[in-house]
């Protein structure tokens, strides 16, 4: 009751629930969520890109997501305030979900010495701080669990560039005095990725079991961090992909030769992660082709010559059926040193479309040179994918999700603190 005896509505700046600090609550919907059509009639009907997506009860507010991006900025595998600011800035700018960078389940599974890790409990707390910030700002966040395999113990890209400029190319493997671990690099076979990379030690059964258990232990830590989802990194020539491809795997045991054998290790990891993770969203990133010269299969003999879309589709189906995989994030390449790739906008989308058509019930993500709202919407509309992932354009323009909404004529919620920068987009201010 006010002093003059009249009942008045009180106006306070409410706090986001569950956060350990004060953050203003974004109302009436989270950042990056389309406003209800009752407030903004132009939001009926909504373009697919801004239609929410529910996976195992987790609601994603839109379908333009941040692809995983290594930042080579971790402190012995621990996230730092750089990651809080970097990921936090994406959480403030409307992305439907953020996938944290490739995070090694074992120290020897890092690509470079400064890669992210989740092999020990002290790595949980700095990640939890980032996740809590994202959640307080209404953004779902997950992590890409990874093992670099034979591409491990390399330099951060800018250190490689510096080395190349000073002493010429020729070496990519970081030595022990450069914080590398060249003698501990593992792979399916003794085939290095390229000249200048480490000679991998072929994993024996004990080593394979250790990697499977390391994925399981990292998954347990993901639960403690509070991630909304996990993506298993099965792409780009790293450990799982290198077991799948006949170009990197020439084993003659249960893990090499036939397609069944080459899929055994990734499927074992996926099933184990699912068992620990329980009924929560689980994704897998695949490279759907090696882009090596020649066909995927020798027609006459039936021999698989490289990894490609037909085998990727078999893997996708089995991941879905045997590990309850919810979404496959379809990338390409990264394994074959001589790959020649014709890169153009959406060049990887047909691979996502192929898997989506072949494996009903498995959601697909498209990635690769998707840089605008209309472009992204076109892939969803033609039924090629369920979500799009963006990497480099977000490094250039972190506001891409909000600009995509503007481009598609959708009114979405900017962060309350940044609303004055988006008045034109909202049409009118504070109508709720
Ligand atoms: C700086 C940087 C780091 C990357 N790190 C990862 C990674 O950790 N895991 C991964 O699967 N892909 C990684 N990628 C690939 C991206 O996720 C994405 O698939 C690729 O850049 C193509 O998308 P874009 O055209 O939107 O950049 C990285 C890309 C960039 C530019």
């Amino acid at each position: 009751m006010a002093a003059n005896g009249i009942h008045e509505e009180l106006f306070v700046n409410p706090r986001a629930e569950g956060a350990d600090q004060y953050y203003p609550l974004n109302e009436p919907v989270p950042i990056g969520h389309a406003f209800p059509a009752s407030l903004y009639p132009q939001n009926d009907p909504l373009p697919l890109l801004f239609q929410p997506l529910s996976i195992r009860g987790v609601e994603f507010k839109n379908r333009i997501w941040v692809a995983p991006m290594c930042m080579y900025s971790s402190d012995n595998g621990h996230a730092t305030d750089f990651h809080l600011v970097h990921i936090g800035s994406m959480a403030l700018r409307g992305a439907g979900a953020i996938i944290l960078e490739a995070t090694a389940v074992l120290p020897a599974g890092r690509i470079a010495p400064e890669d992210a890790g989740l092999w020990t409990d002290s790595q949980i707390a700095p990640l939890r701080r980032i996740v809590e910030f994202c959640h307080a700002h209404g953004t779902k966040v997950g992590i890409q669990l990874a093992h670099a395999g034979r591409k491990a113990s390399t330099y951060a890209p800018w250190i490689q560039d510096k080395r190349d400029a000073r002493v010429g190319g020729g070496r990519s493997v970081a030595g022990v005095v450069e914080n590398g671990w060249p003698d501990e690099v593992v792979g399916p076979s003794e085939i290095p990725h390229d000249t200048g990379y480490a000679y991998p030690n072929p994993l024996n059964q004990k080593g394979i079991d250790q990697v499977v258990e390391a994925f399981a232990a990292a998954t347990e830590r993901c639960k403690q961090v509070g991630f909304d989802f996990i993506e298993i990194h099965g792409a780009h020539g790293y450990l799982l992909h290198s077991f799948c491809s006949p170009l990197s795997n020439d084993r003659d045991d249960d893990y090499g030769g036939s397609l069944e054998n080459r899929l055994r290790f990734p499927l074992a990891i996926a099933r184990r992660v699912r068992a620990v993770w329980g009924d929560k969203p689980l994704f897998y990133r695949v490279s759907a082709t090696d882009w090596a010269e020649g066909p995927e299969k020798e027609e006459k003999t039936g021999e698989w010559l490289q990894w490609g879309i037909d085998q990727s589709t078999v893997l996708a189906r089995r991941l879905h059926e045997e590990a309850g995989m919810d979404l496959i994030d379809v990338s390409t390449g990264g394994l074959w040193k001589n790959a020649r790739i014709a890169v153009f906008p959406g060049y990887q989308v047909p691979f996502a479309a192929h898997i989506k058509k072949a494996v009903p019930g498995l959601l697909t993500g498209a990635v690769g040179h998707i840089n605008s709202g209309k472009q992204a919407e076109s892939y969803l509309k033609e039924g090629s994918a369920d979500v799009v992932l963006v990497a480099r354009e977000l490094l250039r323009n972190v506001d891409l999700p909000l600009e995509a909404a503007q481009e598609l004529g959708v009114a979405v919620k900017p962060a309350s603190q940044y609303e004055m920068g988006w008045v034109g987009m909202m049409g009118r201010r504070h109508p709720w």
Side-chain angles (χ1 to χ4, degrees), residues 259-383:
L259 178 59
E260 178 72 28
N261 283 354
R262 284 180 282 118
L263 299 187
R264 195 177 306 282
F265 184 34
L267 286 172
I269 289 172
R271 282 194 301 264
R272 191 76 182 86
V273 168
R274 167 59 79 203
V276 177
W277 190 228
D279 185 21
K280 286 192 273 189
L282 182 60
F283 310 157
Y284 190 97
R285 177 167 265 203
V286 71
S287 273
T289 174
D290 286 337
W291 293 116
E293 51 287 350
E296 180 179 353
K297 190 182 199 174
E298 171 63 60
E299 277 312 322
K300 279 193 193 128
T301 61
E303 187 192 349
W304 297 105
L305 301 174
Q306 63 170 304
W307 182 249
I309 186 64
D310 291 341
Q311 295 160 95
S312 299
T313 304
V314 173
L315 173 62
R317 184 176 299 114
R318 292 195 56 183
L319 286 166
H320 185 52
E321 287 170 359
E322 296 172 28
M325 199 59 64
D326 298 299
L327 181 144
I328 189 140
D329 167 9
V330 186
S331 186
T332 65
L335 184 127
W336 184 236
K337 58 185 182 203
N338 299 323
R340 293 275 171 275
I341 309 175
V343 174
F344 53 87
Y347 72 107
Q348 297 177 142
V349 173
F351 297 95
H354 184 103
I355 294 177
K356 184 167 169 55
K357 204 167 155 207
V359 191
L362 177 62
L363 298 166
T364 58
V367 66
H369 278 264
I370 303 175
N371 296 343
S372 78
K374 282 190 179 148
Q375 188 197 359
E377 176 70 7
S378 73
Y379 303 136
L380 303 188
K381 230 173 169 171
E382 72 193 20

Side-chain angles (χ1 to χ4, degrees), residues 86-240:
H86 165 66
I87 297 298
S89 73
M90 308 256 180
L92 291 174
R93 306 299 181 122
I98 301 171
I99 309 182
L100 293 196
E101 64 190 86
T103 300
V105 299
L106 287 167
R110 287 169 293 170
I111 302 167
E114 304 80 21
D115 266 5
L118 200 40
W119 63 78
T120 187
D121 288 351
S122 59
Q123 289 159 340
I124 293 172
L127 288 172
R128 189 184 286 142
R129 190 160 168 242
I130 295 167
V131 167
E132 285 177 356
F133 183 88
C134 291
H135 285 169
H137 292 88
T139 302
K140 297 292 188 285
V141 56
I143 190 167
Q144 190 186 49
L145 294 183
H147 191 301
R150 65 184 193 153
K151 289 174 78 178
S153 188
T154 59
Y155 302 105
W158 55 90
I159 302 302
Q160 179 79 60
D161 289 347
K162 187 166 153 186
R163 185 184 185 284
D164 291 352
R166 298 246 177 108
V167 294
R171 183 157 69 84
S172 300
V173 65
V176 173
V177 288
E178 297 164 315
N179 302 324
W181 54 99
D183 298 334
E184 295 162 56
V185 170
V186 299
S189 304
E190 262 176 8
I191 308 171
H193 173 63
D194 200 350
T195 49
Y197 281 77
Y199 262 83
N201 301 295
L203 280 174
N204 58 21
Q205 184 63 54
K206 192 171 160 222
I208 284 174
D209 293 344
Q210 277 168 352
V211 173
V212 173
E213 284 317 303
F215 269 91
T219 301
E220 186 56 49
R221 293 187 187 104
C222 287
K223 288 163 82 171
Q224 293 176 46
V225 172
F227 284 117
D228 299 296
F229 61 92
I230 290 174
E231 175 170 281
I232 298 173
H233 197 346
H236 302 164
Y238 298 115
L239 189 64
L240 278 62

